């Protein structure tokens, strides 16, 4: 059996049909995010909910309600959208920010459950927090109980119940709920459907000609996620790793296209990297490699020399105009480079080929 998690871009009026197309009789658990961006400049529902909580601006609530009303109308979802939205509206500012921000996932799950003619399972009842941390054992046993005998369950990701009420994971946390559902259901696969072709050799927004990395290990995925790979929440890795469930990250627009399979098997790529944009216009690139230190040294030496930087002392931090070697781990598995935008492309030129 398969657990499938769909990111916010899939839960939009124009794209929801892809969800139905992907599901097979082997899928029995579906986890959804809040309605995502419908176009590049659009604002995610979760961000709108935050704004609504803070400002109380009813125009913002109307923008949120409009997204869900259109989700239902375009996809002929048999739900009383107005009533469901009015009821959520009445609760939206009744508690704290997290509560308000979780309503996107709650609404998505209610709408998608009706759309798929599936059972809605309320996340409050199956995800438990202890303080700020997930209570793994309690969550898995609640999930097991709630899912018993349910053919197809739809749950909102990202939130659950803490001691003092509803709580959320950090942003992107629906991936974590998906991983937990996969574990509790004994799934043989955890599918994570996004609008990207899995994990790529670089950020396609920064670098042209990127390719999908077909396979990588849980550890590699975790380290890339921590380094800023937005494709999967880092906390989604360890629950499925412990149960030996592989994760497939694929593009819902083209489900048979390139994807990344994450399992115990390390990547065949000698170098894996991820670049995160820092607030001050700099970029931090995490490079994972499985090559002898002498070889990686050569690559970086060449890069630094070509960029006319003095390559002083390997392993030590030094600054130059456009590159700062932040750290280079002596265990030989990871390098962190802070660069400015002008060298990002040439940096990738050395290891994306
Ligand atoms: N909707 C939340 C966010 O935008 C959680 C998620 O999508 O996983 O971060």
């Amino acid at each position: 059996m398969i657990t499938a998690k769909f990111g916010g871009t899939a839960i939009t009026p124009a794209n929801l049909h892809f969800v139905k197309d992907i599901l097979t009789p082997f899928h029995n658990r579906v986890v959804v995010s809040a309605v995502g961006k419908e176009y590049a400049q659009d604002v995610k529902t979760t961000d709108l909910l935050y704004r609504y909580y803070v400002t109380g601006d009813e125009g913002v609530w109307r923008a949120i309600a409009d997204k869900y009303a259109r989700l239902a109308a375009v996809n002929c979802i048999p739900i009383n959208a107005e009533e469901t939205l009015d009821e959520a509206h009445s609760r939206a500012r009744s508690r704290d920010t997290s509560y308000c921000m979780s309503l996107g996932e709650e609404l998505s799950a209610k709408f998608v459950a009706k759309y798929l003619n599936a059972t809605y399972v309320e996340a409050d009842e199956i995800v438990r927090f202890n303080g700020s941390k997930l209570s793994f054992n309690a969550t898995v046993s609640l999930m097991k109980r709630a899912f018993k005998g349910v053919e197809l369950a739809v749950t909102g990701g990202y939130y659950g119940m803490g001691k003092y009420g509803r709580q959320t994971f950090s942003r992107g946390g629906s991936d974590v709920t998906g991983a937990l559902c996969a574990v509790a259901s004994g799934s043989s696969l955890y599918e994570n459907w996004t609008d990207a072709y899995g994990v790529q050799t670089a950020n396609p927004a920064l670098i042209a000609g990127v390719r999908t990395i077909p396979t990588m290990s849980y550890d590699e995925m975790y380290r890339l996620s921590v380094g800023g790979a937005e494709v999967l929440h880092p906390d989604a890795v360890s629950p499925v790793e412990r149960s030996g469930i592989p994760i497939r990250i694929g593009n819902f627009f083209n489900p048979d296209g390139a994807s990344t399979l994450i399992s115990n098997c390390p990547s065949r790529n000698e170098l894996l990297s991820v670049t995160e944009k820092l607030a001050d216009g700099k970029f931090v690139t995490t490079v994972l490699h499985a090559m002898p230190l002498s070889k990686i040294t050569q690559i970086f030496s060449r890069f630094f020399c070509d960029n006319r930087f003095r390559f002083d002392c390997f392993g030590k931090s030094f600054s130059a105009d456009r590159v700062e070697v932040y750290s280079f781990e002596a265990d030989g598995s990871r390098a962190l480079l802070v660069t400015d935008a002008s060298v990002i492309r040439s940096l990738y030129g050395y290891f994306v080929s």
Side-chain angles (χ1 to χ4, degrees), residues 62-83:
R62 279 195 298 278
I64 297 163
D66 177 63
K67 283 180 178 289
Y68 284 91
R70 283 185 297 105
L71 185 74
V74 172
N75 296 284
C76 304
I77 303 178
I79 190 168
N80 187 335
E82 209 180 307
E83 196 178 288

Side-chain angles (χ1 to χ4, degrees), residues 215-220 240-247 261-267:
T215 56
M216 68 172 65
S217 69
Y218 297 110
D219 181 55
E220 288 166 335
V240 284
E241 177 178 13
R242 270 183 276 159
S243 300
I245 302 168
I247 312 170
L261 187 71
I262 298 144
S263 70
N264 277 323
C265 185
S267 169

Side-chain angles (χ1 to χ4, degrees), residues 5 7-8 33-34 44 46-47 101 105 157-158 170-175:
K5 180 260 164 177
S33 285
K44 285 179 169 188
T46 311
D47 295 311
M101 287 171 79
E105 271 70 16
Y158 182 50
S170 56
R171 296 297 299 268
S174 299
D175 291 339

Side-chain angles (χ1 to χ4, degrees), residues 308-336:
R308 279 177 267 109
F309 296 114
R310 270 177 304 113
F311 189 63
D312 292 351
C313 183
F314 201 73
K316 270 200 185 159
S317 298
F318 74 95
S319 305
D321 268 0
R322 295 180 299 166
V323 180
E324 210 175 300
V325 176
Y326 203 62
S327 77
F328 204 114
E329 279 175 16
D331 80 339
S333 68
R334 189 172 72 138
L336 280 174

